[in-house]
């Protein structure tokens, strides 16, 4: 190969490499903005996972580029333990860009600085991590029930699960993500709401999940000892058949949890 041919070959390689790099950047932008269009904010760890990067350090250049373009904002919240919790939020311009990239309806909501508590950040991060791991396992129709319209809420005391989703086997499931343990009285009221919802066919199973095995076991013991609950004004015993529809697993086991096939 002569010098002229070598230069031409090198230029083609450089051009091809540049095109590939632009494609990778576009793919990361589409993935992150698409995720944030519904989530509104996330943490660097989750954002890196969404973009299929090894860790959050590998994502910082993307964050900086998107922030320079006005598509995201980077925020932080100080933890009492002395460290900083970082947040990646979508802007209104980011929402417009996401709608363009995905060909979906524009979402009229952006992240607002200083409006999110640490408790909300940690809870949302858990929900998002579960959403990603479950999606990879074949779960579908992931819906956060805390974002329904106010007009859809029935009563002040009504309880809604954190998530409704479709299990890979087809069953519709309510998921409760437990970061704290509630009182027996509160679980009795929640149990009544779930029984009512299942009787209406809204979902067939309830899954309680937590990162901590001891917390999962504690919640399970409380449920098994509830005895009776009041449903639609009637005292109903928590019979074994009803308890079969309620499951207790740690986060890592949720994506692959098996459900009885006798529930529709």
């Amino acid at each position: 190969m002569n010098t002229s041919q070598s230069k031409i070959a090198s230029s083609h390689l450089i051009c091809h490499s540049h095109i590939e790099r632009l494609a990778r950047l576009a793919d990361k932008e589409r993935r992150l903005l698409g995720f944030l269009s519904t989530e509104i904010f996330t943490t660097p760890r989750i954002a890196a996972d969404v973009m299929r990067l090894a860790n959050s350090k590998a994502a910082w250049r993307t964050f900086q580029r998107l922030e320079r373009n006005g598509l995201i904002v980077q925020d932080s919240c100080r933890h009492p333990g002395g460290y900083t919790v970082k947040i990646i939020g979508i802007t209104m311009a980011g929402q417009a860009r996401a709608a363009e990239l995905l060909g979906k309806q524009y979402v009229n909501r952006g992240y607002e600085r200083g409006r999110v508590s640490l408790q909300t950040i940690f809870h949302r991060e858990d929900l998002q991590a579960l959403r990603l791991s479950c999606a990879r396992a074949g779960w579908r129709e992931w819906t956060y029930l805390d974002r329904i319209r106010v007009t859809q809420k029935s009563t002040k005391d009504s309880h809604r699960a954190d998530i409704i989703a479709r299990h890979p086997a087809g069953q519709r499931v309510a998921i409760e993500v437990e970061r704290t343990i509630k009182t027996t009285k509160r679980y009795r009221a929640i149990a009544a709401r779930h029984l009512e919802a299942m009787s209406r066919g809204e979902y067939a199973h309830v899954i309680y999940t937590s990162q901590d095995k001891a917390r999962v076991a504690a919640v399970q013991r409380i449920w098994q000892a509830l005895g009776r609950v009041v449903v639609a004004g009637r005292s109903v015993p928590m019979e074994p058949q009803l308890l079969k529809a309620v499951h207790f697993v740690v986060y890592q086991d949720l994506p692959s949890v098996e459900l009885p096939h006798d529930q529709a």
Side-chain angles (χ1 to χ4, degrees), residues 17 19-29 65:
S17 177
I19 291 172
E20 286 185 333
R21 178 176 174 275
L22 291 178
R24 288 195 299 270
L25 291 174
D27 182 63
K28 287 188 285 187
E29 178 179 319
R65 179 174 60 84

Side-chain angles (χ1 to χ4, degrees), residues 191-243:
R193 301 295 178 265
H194 282 310
L195 292 178
E196 289 173 357
M198 286 190 285
S199 69
R200 292 192 297 267
E202 293 180 16
Y203 43 85
H205 297 267
V206 178
I207 301 177
Y208 275 88
T209 186
S210 176
Q211 189 173 24
D212 183 63
K213 287 184 179 180
R215 187 178 301 134
V216 170
V219 174
Q220 183 173 12
R221 285 194 298 271
I222 292 172
W223 263 81
Q224 291 173 340
L226 287 178
R228 304 182 73 88
V229 298
V230 178
V231 180
R234 294 171 47 245
S235 178
V236 177
M238 288 294 292
E239 297 176 349
Q241 186 62 30
L242 292 176
L243 287 171

Side-chain angles (χ1 to χ4, degrees), residues 7 176 254:
K7 287 182 178 180
E176 298 275 16
L254 177 62

